[in-house]
Amino acid sequence: MRALFRRPFRASETLEQFWFVVSVSWVPAILISIPLGAVIALQLGTLTTQLGAQSFTGAASVLAIVQQAAPMVTTLVIAGAGGAAICAELGSRTIRDEIAAMRVMGLNPVHRLVVPRVLACVGAAVLLNGLVSVVGVLGGYFFNVMLQGGTPGAYLSSFTALAQISDLWVGEIKAVIFGFIAAVVACYRGLNTAPGPKGVGDSVNQSVVVTFLLLFFVNSVLTALYLTLVPMKGA
């Protein structure tokens, strides 16, 4: 966090890493968000039909995608694709003693290498979260209307009746926090890699697993705080 405000700011490195993370993550994110939106819509559609509340299928599906599914999917893809690549790159530099050489020359590896990658992952998470939200909502809309016999008007009107702008903001805030966590874990494991190629492989596996576990825990805490602090619309 301290290194974020140090100068000079490495804009070119940040943009390069941002493009790399987005390029390896956006296709898997879309491919995951389509069936995920469909599963959420189908499951909630069946449940609301049993309860006699078909008119609320759109609201439940969209809120579940925007608040919960989109940030998680985005960050899991970033951690599994971009984060793994970042960890492998830094781990390879570590076992070749490049990181130690930077420290000997008086260069701070955190400022030169970690900060651009963290900012890149945070920016990519925010933008990809919006993309995943849109694709997931469209997938849920298609499957609800085409397969479950829902009406487009009921799907859209229930969402606009119950949704709040804070629902979108909480999804973006989660994306920022999750992207930060994924990048920090990947960089930390890369800079603390055990010697040898096996150490790099172990660090990559550990970074992905630790990120997944942290995301589920942090998501539970953030969701509980949001539901406590922000009253539901119409409540």
Side-chain angles (χ1 to χ4, degrees):
M1 293 299 295
R2 291 195 305 266
L4 287 174
F5 304 99
R6 292 186 57 184
R7 296 293 182 269
F9 178 70
R10 302 181 60 81
S12 59
E13 177 81 5
T14 303
L15 291 176
E16 180 181 349
Q17 293 298 322
F18 170 79
W19 174 249
F20 168 75
V21 174
V22 171
S23 64
V24 300
S25 302
W26 73 274
V27 174
I30 290 178
L31 294 179
I32 295 176
S33 62
I34 294 175
L36 184 64
V39 169
I40 291 176
L42 293 174
Q43 187 67 37
L44 291 178
T46 302
L47 179 62
T48 54
T49 300
Q50 294 174 350
L51 298 176
Q54 298 93 328
S55 59
F56 293 100
T57 301
S61 300
V62 174
L63 292 178
I65 293 171
V66 173
Q67 282 193 21
Q68 305 295 331
M72 293 293 292
V73 168
T74 299
T75 313
L76 292 178
V77 171
I78 289 178
I86 289 173
C87 182
E89 178 197 1
L90 296 180
S92 299
R93 293 190 179 195
T94 300
I95 65 174
R96 294 196 302 263
D97 292 329
E98 293 182 17
I99 304 300
M102 291 180 64
R103 292 192 175 99
V104 170
M105 292 186 294
L107 300 176
N108 187 350
V110 174
H111 179 246
R112 297 292 297 269
L113 300 176
V114 174
V115 169
R117 286 159 176 78
V118 170
L119 293 178
C121 287
V122 170
V126 171
L127 296 181
L128 289 178
N129 178 69
L131 177 63
V132 171
S133 298
V134 172
V135 175
V137 169
L138 292 178
Y141 172 85
F142 175 82
F143 280 91
N144 178 258
V145 173
M146 298 299 177
L147 299 182
Q148 294 186 311
T151 60
Y155 191 95
L156 297 176
S157 63
S158 64
F159 169 60
T160 56
L162 296 179
Q164 307 176 77
I165 191 63
S166 59
D167 298 321
L168 177 61
W169 281 113
V170 72
E172 293 293 348
I173 292 173
K174 283 184 178 181
V176 170
I177 297 174
F178 295 167
F180 180 84
I181 292 174
V184 168
V185 171
C187 292
Y188 177 81
R189 291 307 309 146
L191 294 177
N192 293 273
T193 297
K198 183 178 183 300
V200 177
D202 292 340
S203 293
V204 172
N205 293 334
Q206 292 170 9
S207 70
V208 175
V209 173
V210 170
T211 301
F212 283 17
L213 296 176
L214 286 177
L215 289 184
F216 288 112
F217 172 74
V218 175
N219 183 60
S220 301
V221 174
L222 293 177
T223 301
L225 288 175
Y226 173 77
L227 295 178
T228 302
L229 300 176
V230 180
M232 295 184 62
K233 188 176 182 180

mmCIF file of all heavy atoms in Angstrom, residues 22-41:
data_model
loop_
_atom_site.group_PDB
_atom_site.id
_atom_site.type_symbol
_atom_site.label_atom_id
_atom_site.label_comp_id
_atom_site.label_asym_id
_atom_site.label_seq_id
_atom_site.Cartn_x
_atom_site.Cartn_y
_atom_site.Cartn_z
ATOM 1 N N VAL A 22 -6.241 -8.837 -19.026
ATOM 2 C CA VAL A 22 -7.531 -8.808 -19.725
ATOM 3 C C VAL A 22 -7.533 -9.800 -20.889
ATOM 4 O O VAL A 22 -8.517 -10.519 -21.104
ATOM 5 C CB VAL A 22 -7.845 -7.388 -20.214
ATOM 6 C CG1 VAL A 22 -9.072 -7.390 -21.121
ATOM 7 C CG2 VAL A 22 -8.078 -6.465 -19.029
ATOM 8 N N SER A 23 -6.443 -9.856 -21.637
ATOM 9 C CA SER A 23 -6.394 -10.710 -22.825
ATOM 10 C C SER A 23 -6.503 -12.189 -22.497
ATOM 11 O O SER A 23 -7.048 -12.969 -23.286
ATOM 12 C CB SER A 23 -5.102 -10.442 -23.612
ATOM 13 O OG SER A 23 -3.963 -10.799 -22.839
ATOM 14 N N VAL A 24 -5.982 -12.600 -21.335
ATOM 15 C CA VAL A 24 -6.052 -14.020 -20.977
ATOM 16 C C VAL A 24 -7.280 -14.356 -20.148
ATOM 17 O O VAL A 24 -7.514 -15.536 -19.863
ATOM 18 C CB VAL A 24 -4.775 -14.456 -20.215
ATOM 19 C CG1 VAL A 24 -3.540 -14.252 -21.062
ATOM 20 C CG2 VAL A 24 -4.655 -13.716 -18.888
ATOM 21 N N SER A 25 -8.064 -13.335 -19.762
ATOM 22 C CA SER A 25 -9.182 -13.585 -18.838
ATOM 23 C C SER A 25 -10.555 -13.354 -19.435
ATOM 24 O O SER A 25 -11.530 -13.950 -18.956
ATOM 25 C CB SER A 25 -9.033 -12.702 -17.588
ATOM 26 O OG SER A 25 -7.814 -12.924 -16.936
ATOM 27 N N TRP A 26 -10.678 -12.498 -20.460
ATOM 28 C CA TRP A 26 -12.026 -12.097 -20.850
ATOM 29 C C TRP A 26 -12.799 -13.222 -21.529
ATOM 30 O O TRP A 26 -13.998 -13.380 -21.292
ATOM 31 C CB TRP A 26 -11.989 -10.846 -21.737
ATOM 32 C CG TRP A 26 -11.505 -11.053 -23.129
ATOM 33 C CD1 TRP A 26 -10.221 -11.048 -23.570
ATOM 34 C CD2 TRP A 26 -12.315 -11.282 -24.290
ATOM 35 N NE1 TRP A 26 -10.162 -11.261 -24.921
ATOM 36 C CE2 TRP A 26 -11.435 -11.403 -25.390
ATOM 37 C CE3 TRP A 26 -13.681 -11.393 -24.510
ATOM 38 C CZ2 TRP A 26 -11.890 -11.641 -26.692
ATOM 39 C CZ3 TRP A 26 -14.140 -11.633 -25.801
ATOM 40 C CH2 TRP A 26 -13.244 -11.742 -26.869
ATOM 41 N N VAL A 27 -12.133 -14.049 -22.339
ATOM 42 C CA VAL A 27 -12.853 -15.156 -22.986
ATOM 43 C C VAL A 27 -13.305 -16.203 -21.966
ATOM 44 O O VAL A 27 -14.482 -16.606 -21.957
ATOM 45 C CB VAL A 27 -11.988 -15.782 -24.095
ATOM 46 C CG1 VAL A 27 -12.673 -17.029 -24.659
ATOM 47 C CG2 VAL A 27 -11.738 -14.779 -25.218
ATOM 48 N N PRO A 28 -12.422 -16.690 -21.072
ATOM 49 C CA PRO A 28 -12.921 -17.627 -20.042
ATOM 50 C C PRO A 28 -14.016 -17.032 -19.165
ATOM 51 O O PRO A 28 -14.941 -17.746 -18.770
ATOM 52 C CB PRO A 28 -11.661 -17.939 -19.225
ATOM 53 C CG PRO A 28 -10.520 -17.655 -20.128
ATOM 54 C CD PRO A 28 -10.962 -16.514 -20.989
ATOM 55 N N ALA A 29 -13.917 -15.735 -18.869
ATOM 56 C CA ALA A 29 -14.950 -15.109 -18.032
ATOM 57 C C ALA A 29 -16.308 -15.153 -18.725
ATOM 58 O O ALA A 29 -17.334 -15.454 -18.086
ATOM 59 C CB ALA A 29 -14.556 -13.668 -17.711
ATOM 60 N N ILE A 30 -16.344 -14.855 -20.020
ATOM 61 C CA ILE A 30 -17.612 -14.902 -20.761
ATOM 62 C C ILE A 30 -18.139 -16.330 -20.838
ATOM 63 O O ILE A 30 -19.334 -16.585 -20.637
ATOM 64 C CB ILE A 30 -17.420 -14.307 -22.165
ATOM 65 C CG1 ILE A 30 -17.206 -12.790 -22.070
ATOM 66 C CG2 ILE A 30 -18.625 -14.608 -23.055
ATOM 67 C CD1 ILE A 30 -16.956 -12.132 -23.413
ATOM 68 N N LEU A 31 -17.257 -17.280 -21.127
ATOM 69 C CA LEU A 31 -17.682 -18.669 -21.260
ATOM 70 C C LEU A 31 -18.231 -19.223 -19.952
ATOM 71 O O LEU A 31 -19.099 -20.102 -19.962
ATOM 72 C CB LEU A 31 -16.508 -19.526 -21.741
ATOM 73 C CG LEU A 31 -15.995 -19.219 -23.157
ATOM 74 C CD1 LEU A 31 -14.817 -20.116 -23.502
ATOM 75 C CD2 LEU A 31 -17.107 -19.384 -24.180
ATOM 76 N N ILE A 32 -17.732 -18.734 -18.825
ATOM 77 C CA ILE A 32 -18.250 -19.185 -17.534
ATOM 78 C C ILE A 32 -19.538 -18.460 -17.172
ATOM 79 O O ILE A 32 -20.466 -19.049 -16.602
ATOM 80 C CB ILE A 32 -17.189 -18.986 -16.431
ATOM 81 C CG1 ILE A 32 -15.981 -19.887 -16.692
ATOM 82 C CG2 ILE A 32 -17.776 -19.277 -15.053
ATOM 83 C CD1 ILE A 32 -14.845 -19.687 -15.706
ATOM 84 N N SER A 33 -19.621 -17.157 -17.500
ATOM 85 C CA SER A 33 -20.776 -16.370 -17.080
ATOM 86 C C SER A 33 -22.061 -16.799 -17.788
ATOM 87 O O SER A 33 -23.148 -16.691 -17.205
ATOM 88 C CB SER A 33 -20.516 -14.881 -17.337
ATOM 89 O OG SER A 33 -20.329 -14.630 -18.722
ATOM 90 N N ILE A 34 -21.981 -17.280 -19.022
ATOM 91 C CA ILE A 34 -23.188 -17.691 -19.741
ATOM 92 C C ILE A 34 -23.880 -18.871 -19.056
ATOM 93 O O ILE A 34 -25.061 -18.787 -18.704
ATOM 94 C CB ILE A 34 -22.863 -17.999 -21.215
ATOM 95 C CG1 ILE A 34 -22.424 -16.721 -21.943
ATOM 96 C CG2 ILE A 34 -24.076 -18.616 -21.913
ATOM 97 C CD1 ILE A 34 -21.977 -16.961 -23.372
ATOM 98 N N PRO A 35 -23.202 -20.013 -18.853
ATOM 99 C CA PRO A 35 -23.902 -21.105 -18.147
ATOM 100 C C PRO A 35 -24.224 -20.775 -16.702
ATOM 101 O O PRO A 35 -25.227 -21.269 -16.169
ATOM 102 C CB PRO A 35 -22.901 -22.272 -18.247
ATOM 103 C CG PRO A 35 -21.582 -21.638 -18.471
ATOM 104 C CD PRO A 35 -21.843 -20.402 -19.263
ATOM 105 N N LEU A 36 -23.390 -19.932 -16.056
ATOM 106 C CA LEU A 36 -23.689 -19.572 -14.676
ATOM 107 C C LEU A 36 -24.983 -18.772 -14.588
ATOM 108 O O LEU A 36 -25.837 -19.024 -13.731
ATOM 109 C CB LEU A 36 -22.536 -18.766 -14.082
ATOM 110 C CG LEU A 36 -22.676 -18.390 -12.608
ATOM 111 C CD1 LEU A 36 -22.690 -19.653 -11.743
ATOM 112 C CD2 LEU A 36 -21.543 -17.481 -12.183
ATOM 113 N N GLY A 37 -25.145 -17.783 -15.478
ATOM 114 C CA GLY A 37 -26.395 -17.030 -15.505
ATOM 115 C C GLY A 37 -27.580 -17.909 -15.816
ATOM 116 O O GLY A 37 -28.672 -17.725 -15.257
ATOM 117 N N ALA A 38 -27.367 -18.892 -16.714
ATOM 118 C CA ALA A 38 -28.461 -19.803 -17.050
ATOM 119 C C ALA A 38 -28.859 -20.667 -15.860
ATOM 120 O O ALA A 38 -30.051 -20.859 -15.570
ATOM 121 C CB ALA A 38 -28.043 -20.693 -18.222
ATOM 122 N N VAL A 39 -27.858 -21.180 -15.129
ATOM 123 C CA VAL A 39 -28.155 -22.036 -13.979
ATOM 124 C C VAL A 39 -28.886 -21.250 -12.898
ATOM 125 O O VAL A 39 -29.862 -21.730 -12.299
ATOM 126 C CB VAL A 39 -26.846 -22.643 -13.426
ATOM 127 C CG1 VAL A 39 -27.099 -23.301 -12.073
ATOM 128 C CG2 VAL A 39 -26.283 -23.650 -14.407
ATOM 129 N N ILE A 40 -28.425 -20.022 -12.637
ATOM 130 C CA ILE A 40 -29.086 -19.197 -11.620
ATOM 131 C C ILE A 40 -30.518 -18.905 -12.017
ATOM 132 O O ILE A 40 -31.441 -19.006 -11.206
ATOM 133 C CB ILE A 40 -28.291 -17.895 -11.410
ATOM 134 C CG1 ILE A 40 -26.946 -18.198 -10.743
ATOM 135 C CG2 ILE A 40 -29.089 -16.906 -10.556
ATOM 136 C CD1 ILE A 40 -26.052 -16.986 -10.594
ATOM 137 N N ALA A 41 -30.731 -18.537 -13.291
ATOM 138 C CA ALA A 41 -32.083 -18.230 -13.748
ATOM 139 C C ALA A 41 -32.987 -19.454 -13.690
ATOM 140 O O ALA A 41 -34.151 -19.363 -13.264
ATOM 141 C CB ALA A 41 -32.029 -17.669 -15.168
#
